[in-house]
Amino acid sequence: QTKMEYEWKPDEQGLQQILQLLKESQSPDTTIQRTVQQKLEQLNQYPDFNNYLIFVLTKLKSEDEPTRSLSGLILKNNVKAHFQNFPNGVTDFIKSECLNNIGDSSPLIRATVGILITTIASKGELQNWPDLLPKLCSLLDSEDYNTCEGAFGALQKICEDSAEILDSDVLDRPLNIMIPKFLQFFKHSSPKIRSHAVACVNQFIISRTQALMLHIDSFIENLFALAGDEEPEVRKNVCRALVMLLEVRMDRLLPHMHNIVEYMLQRTQDQDENVALEACEFWLTLAEQPILILRFRIFIKFILFPSGKDETIPDSEQDIRPRFHRSRTVAQQHDEDGIEEEDDDDDEIDDDDTISDWNLRKCSAAALDVLANVYRDELLPHILPLLKELLFHHEWVVKESGILVLGAIAEGCMQGMIPYLPELIPHLIQCLSDKKALVRSITCWTLSRYAHWVVSQPPDTYLKPLMTELLKRILDSNKRVQEAACSAFATLEEEACTELVPYLAYILDTLVFAFSKYQHKNLLILYDAIGTLADSVGHHLNKPEYIQMLMPPLIQKWNMLKDEDKDLFPLLECLSSVATALQSGFLPYCEPVYQRCVNLVQKTLAQAMLNNAQPDQYEAPDKDFMIVALDLLSGLAEGLGGNIEQLVARSNILTLMYQCMQDKMPEVRQSSFALLGDLTKACFQHVKPCIADFMPILGTNLNPEFISVCNNATWAIGEISIQMGIEMQPYIPMVLHQLVEIINRPNTPKTLLENTAITIGRLGYVCPQEVAPMLQQFIRPWCTSLRNIRDNEEKDSAFRGICTMISVNPSGVIQDFIFFCDAVASWINPKDDLRDMFCKILHGFKNQVGDENWRRFSDQFPLPLKERLAAFYGV
């Protein structure tokens, strides 16, 4: 049957008005832009406004392309916002115009039509536009290149946006037809079309789509046929496909592995940098596949001399990665290694944001880092001979690549490298004053990767010379070296901690001088170095002469920055560490700092409420302002302790925290729970009236999906229980079951386990009757997670809790008593009354089972444990 064609003609005057608007909206003037936006919004009242837009895009060939394309993009936004309100006639007109014009002779117009089609499709319209996919697929066979390319462009976008629904029964499984169809086009004469074809199929690899798995061998065969394609975009898509296949269908690639490795080696040196980066991903993925211990020689050759082409070109911004913002996470101190940060992978060389901007050598170094972590010292025999040659080479370019390799293997091959370090570290310290800036900057990074070892040696041997040279590099004339040196110094500070105290005046001298010297970008890294210094030396910083040096430049920056300036983040973070370290020394500065933080939180919350109510009128706030402000308030509370009480009393911070704790964004909740714990310790009288509101929220956040949120909520509950005492009783049911579940979960990170154990102990300390009945369900993981942390207040209260619970429910500990003995033995010097509690429990157990059984039981103990218990507790 013939249906009535939808006949629509624009009104000439209306058309001119819209063209005028489209012209104006290309003006750089923001006021004009704003008026245009308002007029466009008003025009949406007219049902056929969208007809004009599609008309300009597809029919008005007399207009210039940017204007026509813009018309299509405005229509796309309208589809996104109001598609459900389009009258049927308008929808049909737009759809048919799109399909008739997908082959426009202009690539820009084709792409715009493609975007429009995909947007309509993603609004649930794949179901309501049954002829879309068949029509696009049939257009692929068109003799006309433009039509074929346009249809493919649209299909690629649909495959990217709607992959799931294409592979579902909703649409009667169109992929069974589409995928074989796409495979035919791998051999098309046009590179653009070959590239589209591969990109379309690539969307379905990771999800192991059935329709593709049926044709997997023909897919791989077709990929190989494209291996030497002259079009970089095609080669890039081939590499991408192989990387994904490596993850999901290793079995199919294995027979061809030798050729694939050879091919990827070539691609890693591809003329086109994007292809090369895509190929580098292959090595990163490969290194994670345990079954493929490939011939090392190939790897190493590839990694050291990937292309030979970028050696003399100065590297881009992302050369030596900056360290990243870490939100506040409450962690325990350890015997072995200072503080365990929850996200301790700052020095992985693969932060997602930066990987794409890297040049090749950095990606190669990343591959080497991964390999070193997989194969450890087995890698060294293959690298060392080469490394010696490189490190002492007379050409700086070669020497620099050697220093990069030495840094890349530091983490994985540390043990094997130790014998060589006494010779290498002094050599590297010399390289810090090389006349080439690139050598100086890469040396900073490599030395920072060995900081842990440097600090473990007598300070005069390496630490002092390294520190002296690094401080000179912080004042280097080259910006890139300044940045690398500052980052490296921050890493050294983390490792050295209080070892730096004797040199504080000298260090502060340099860092403060750098303030006057640094440009904007490096200032941000300088803040990090100062904050880390404060974290590392703590209260040793609280001397009038140090405060005099450090605070004036920080406060001067603080006064210069506006509330909207993102540079506040690193400064607030830095001040947070400084406030915690200076303690009462920060008092003269605390009031304006406190006020501003509260204002930042309040502003951000207000903006978020406006945005929720009217998203088209108000834009969403940048919540990082609020997160960093909450973290600084935590730093103040921790540093000033009871001195913060007045400030809290005079502000509405608790009301604001109540909102922050319920924010959708996990980082906001994480920081607000940290602040809650710190305020609980500092001035509980102001927190107490809100406990009934806060506790249910804390209970719902004990969800280990969000590790840091859960960790901080757990810690806060523990702090609250110490303050509440017996009044904690009504709240125990809200939290206990979740805590017991978390402590028994496999693969829970160490920090979270420790905090969970401490909080369970503290709850048991204040409400033993409520918690003790569950003793048997948590005593074993409880003991194992607390045996490694240092003696401190938190450990003390937790162990008092466990002892109290054992006296209420002794049978709960019987089966796991050996774990309890081990945990008790982990105390170096418990307070006297706690030692008496331990004694009582140990002797009580011994008397109950009798000497013979006790001897049999204690014979299972490792010798050090046996000796320790005998010496300390006489059992």
Side-chain angles (χ1 to χ4, degrees), residues 421-460:
L421 293 179
E423 177 196 1
L424 286 177
I425 298 292
H427 174 64
L428 287 172
I429 292 176
Q430 267 185 312
C431 294
L432 280 177
S433 41
D434 194 279
K435 51 181 192 301
K436 284 290 179 195
L438 270 178
V439 174
R440 300 198 299 276
S441 64
I442 199 68
T443 306
C444 290
W445 177 70
T446 293
L447 277 163
S448 74
R449 303 268 289 172
Y450 290 95
H452 188 72
W453 181 82
V454 166
V455 170
S456 69
Q457 306 298 303
D460 284 352

Side-chain angles (χ1 to χ4, degrees), residues 136-157:
L136 287 175
C137 284
S138 71
L139 291 174
L140 294 181
D141 298 322
S142 161
E143 294 294 299
D144 172 44
Y145 166 79
N146 292 339
T147 305
C148 175
E149 197 277 326
F152 239 135
L155 279 166
Q156 181 179 333
K157 293 187 187 88

Side-chain angles (χ1 to χ4, degrees), residues 52 79 126 205 216 299 317 476 499 514 522 635 648 749 874:
Y52 281 93
V79 168
L126 271 175
I205 300 178
I216 193 83
F299 266 139
E317 288 270 291
D476 198 289
E499 298 271 341
N522 285 350
V648 174

Side-chain angles (χ1 to χ4, degrees), residues 184-375:
Q184 295 167 6
F185 284 86
F186 277 32
K187 300 199 168 66
H188 195 277
S189 58
S190 147
K192 189 97 201 261
I193 286 177
R194 295 197 295 275
S195 172
H196 280 315
V198 183
C200 283
V201 181
N202 281 359
Q203 297 306 318
F204 305 103
I205 300 178
I206 292 291
S207 57
R208 300 185 168 79
T209 302
Q210 192 52 42
L212 176 55
M213 293 302 136
L214 292 172
H215 298 280
I216 193 83
D217 290 324
S218 124
F219 175 44
I220 292 174
E221 200 177 312
N222 277 304
L223 279 177
F224 288 164
L226 291 177
D229 201 289
E230 79 266 14
E231 171 64 30
E233 199 53 33
V234 175
R235 297 196 299 275
K236 186 175 102 181
N237 282 329
V238 169
C239 288
R240 185 169 287 172
L242 289 170
V243 170
M244 293 190 285
L245 286 167
L246 192 58
E247 283 184 40
V248 301
R249 289 310 300 261
M250 174 69 101
D251 56 321
R252 282 292 188 264
L253 294 186
L254 272 178
H256 315 285
M257 213 56 209
H258 188 85
N259 298 338
I260 293 176
V261 166
E262 292 291 328
Y263 174 64
M264 284 297 186
L265 278 175
Q266 288 172 342
R267 284 293 69 78
T268 309
Q269 303 162 54
D270 200 284
Q271 255 41 87
D272 184 287
E273 180 139 2
N274 291 324
V275 178
L277 279 170
E278 205 55 65
C280 274
E281 287 293 319
F282 177 82
W283 305 108
L284 291 174
T285 308
L286 190 58
E288 285 157 8
Q289 305 290 339
I291 40 178
L292 281 183
I293 297 201
L294 270 159
R295 298 157 313 166
F296 283 119
R297 301 271 167 204
I298 291 191
F299 266 139
I300 305 308
K301 260 202 336 241
F302 136 66
I303 281 158
L304 291 183
F305 311 107
S307 60
K309 74 167 187 326
D310 119 298
E311 304 301 18
T312 46
I313 304 170
D315 300 344
S316 65
E317 288 270 291
Q318 291 302 346
D319 173 25
I320 290 152
R321 297 154 359 276
R323 299 143 41 89
F324 293 96
H325 168 80
R326 291 190 300 259
S327 287
R328 210 170 167 92
T329 306
V330 186
Q332 281 297 316
Q333 294 264 332
H334 287 259
D335 280 341
E336 324 85 47
D337 54 10
I339 264 197
E340 263 277 309
E341 258 291 349
E342 200 263 337
D343 324 296
D344 212 8
D345 24 27
D346 268 7
D347 47 356
E348 291 293 291
I349 316 193
D350 60 5
D351 187 79
D352 284 333
D353 308 334
T354 56
I355 205 151
S356 52
D357 311 333
W358 269 2
N359 57 23
L360 218 43
R361 290 174 339 116
K362 300 303 168 293
C363 203
S364 310
L368 188 46
D369 183 24
V370 171
L371 286 173
N373 273 305
V374 174
Y375 301 120

Side-chain angles (χ1 to χ4, degrees), residues 831-862:
K831 293 187 183 149
D832 292 343
D833 57 337
L834 181 61
R835 175 174 300 186
D836 296 343
M837 292 167 107
F838 291 159
C839 239
K840 208 162 128 198
I841 292 176
L842 292 170
H843 282 279
F845 186 81
K846 183 178 173 178
N847 298 340
Q848 193 139 20
V849 298
D851 285 352
E852 186 46 43
N853 284 335
W854 174 261
R855 190 162 38 261
R856 274 215 293 275
F857 174 66
S858 60
D859 279 345
Q860 314 164 31
F861 291 179

Side-chain angles (χ1 to χ4, degrees), residues 26 128 154 226 319 409 420 501 601 815 836:
Q26 294 170 57
N128 308 339
L226 291 177
D319 173 25
I409 61 173
Y420 306 97
V501 172
V601 174
Q815 291 176 313
D836 296 343

